[in-house]
């Protein structure tokens, strides 16, 4: 499966592979849930999914040893992978049963708090003509139920309406109307830095532990320093308006 993930300007092999593996693990975890001996109808335990994911990452580390460091981050691979599993369950990409097992979800759309629609469940992102490119572990749908969401994002991309107020107007068309790859600006509580013509770095506020934004951001962006990094993320530029809208109005913790 070609997820369509492109290398950022200046990104080394290890960092690039970390991002690819982060996206790919969503689909590996789905595959592990199908391997329950009952065609996916029974479910698989958290520990089994974490164990199989760890084995896959160890195979990958034969070529790129830094991958394990990125996920372990203090010898806690279990926490990183459990966090990803929690994101997929919160999003509805996987279903957590009453017995604490995980099953695959059928293909469906999920509306985020900003009105964007993401395609989840047993969906092939390489066979979605009416969707934006994959960012993080998912993509915004332009399909029938996602048409309004897709139009909203397209309108914002076309108009550059990324913020409000003086700061928002001063940088209102960032990052779509300039070739300055060093441009950095703040929109509300989000710090944005353009990395290249396809990617932006996002510095987020400290989110409340119970904020639904955590799984939404995790789903649509890539961590930077380590797999559980929720402050520094990478996002495709098409998703900058989505991230800005998601962060606006949520409860955050002060630094």
């Amino acid at each position: 499966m070609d997820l369509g993930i492109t290398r950022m300007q200046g990104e080394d092999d290890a960092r690039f592979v970390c991002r690819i593996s982060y996206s790919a693990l969503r689909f590996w975890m789905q595959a592990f849930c199908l391997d329950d001996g009952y065609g996916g109808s029974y479910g698989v335990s958290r520990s089994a999914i974490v164990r199989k994911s760890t084995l896959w990452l160890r195979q990958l580390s034969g070529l790129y040893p830094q991958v394990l460091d990125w996920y372990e981050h203090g010898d806690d691979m279990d926490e990183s992978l459990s966090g990803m599993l929690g994101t997929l369950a919160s999003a509805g990409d996987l279903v957590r049963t009453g017995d604490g097992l995980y099953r695959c979800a059928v293909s469906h759309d999920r509306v985020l708090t900003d009105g964007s629609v993401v395609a989840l469940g047993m969906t092939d992102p390489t066979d979605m003509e009416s969707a934006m490119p994959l960012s993080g572990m998912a993509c915004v749908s332009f399909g029938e139920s996602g048409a309004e969401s897709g139009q909203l994002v397209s309108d914002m991309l076309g108009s550059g309406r990324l913020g409000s107020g003086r700061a928002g107007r001063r940088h209102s068309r960032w990052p779509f109307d300039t070739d300055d790859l060093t441009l950095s600006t703040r929109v509300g509580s989000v710090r944005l830095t353009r990395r290249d013509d396809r990617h932006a770095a996002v510095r987020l506020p400290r989110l409340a532990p119970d904020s639904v934004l955590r799984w939404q951001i995790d789903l649509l962006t890539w961590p930077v320093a380590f797999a559980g990094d929720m402050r520094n993320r990478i996002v495709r530029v098409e998703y900058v308006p989505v991230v800005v809208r998601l962060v606006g109005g949520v409860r955050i913790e002060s630094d």
Side-chain angles (χ1 to χ4, degrees), residues 187-240:
V187 181
S189 57
V190 181
R191 169 64 65 179
L192 303 164
T193 303
R194 184 170 177 169
R195 294 293 300 270
D196 58 25
D197 61 346
R198 295 181 178 178
H199 304 91
V202 182
R203 173 69 174 176
L204 294 163
R206 191 180 303 277
L207 306 177
D210 60 345
S211 172
V212 296
L213 178 62
R214 292 183 70 90
W215 68 257
Q216 297 186 23
I217 291 294
D218 203 14
L219 197 68
L220 295 177
T221 64
W222 291 280
V224 176
F226 56 96
D229 186 0
M230 288 302 300
R231 300 297 302 279
N232 300 287
R233 311 288 291 194
I234 297 295
V235 64
R236 288 191 63 107
V237 293
E238 295 95 329
Y239 288 76
V240 166

Side-chain angles (χ1 to χ4, degrees), residues 44-226:
V44 179
S45 68
R46 181 202 64 82
S47 59
I49 296 172
V50 168
R51 183 178 67 254
K52 292 181 178 181
S53 298
T54 300
L55 289 174
W56 179 72
L57 289 172
R58 292 195 183 283
Q59 291 177 339
L60 192 61
S61 70
L63 292 174
Y64 303 98
Q66 301 93 328
V67 170
L68 288 184
D69 293 335
W70 195 72
Y71 282 93
E72 287 174 345
H73 187 66
D75 300 323
D76 208 343
M77 174 84 77
D78 185 285
E79 182 176 343
S80 294
L81 295 175
S82 294
M84 296 181 67
L85 185 58
T87 289
L88 297 178
S90 296
D93 194 58
L94 298 176
V95 176
R96 192 171 187 269
T97 71
D99 296 327
L101 302 179
Y102 292 86
R103 296 198 306 245
C104 289
V106 298
S107 178
H108 65 285
D109 289 336
R110 176 73 181 267
V111 181
L112 304 184
T113 53
D114 78 313
S116 298
V117 177
V118 292
L120 296 172
M122 297 297 289
T123 302
D124 182 357
T126 66
D127 189 30
M128 295 178 60
E129 295 181 358
S130 56
M132 297 208 297
L134 188 82
S135 182
M137 292 187 283
C139 51
V140 167
S141 171
F142 279 41
E144 183 175 348
S145 60
E148 184 176 349
S149 165
Q151 187 61 52
L152 178 60
V153 174
S154 294
D155 289 347
M156 293 189 76
L157 289 174
S159 67
R161 290 182 284 110
L162 297 181
S164 59
R166 188 190 314 177
R169 288 193 296 272
R170 184 168 63 250
H171 301 288
S172 64
R173 294 190 62 80
W174 186 89
F176 311 106
D177 65 345
T178 177
D179 293 326
D180 183 2
L181 300 185
T182 64
L183 184 60
S184 180
T185 190
R186 179 179 291 276
V187 181
S189 57
V190 181
R191 169 64 65 179
L192 303 164
T193 303
R194 184 170 177 169
R195 294 293 300 270
D196 58 25
D197 61 346
R198 295 181 178 178
H199 304 91
V202 182
R203 173 69 174 176
L204 294 163
R206 191 180 303 277
L207 306 177
D210 60 345
S211 172
V212 296
L213 178 62
R214 292 183 70 90
W215 68 257
Q216 297 186 23
I217 291 294
D218 203 14
L219 197 68
L220 295 177
T221 64
W222 291 280
V224 176
F226 56 96

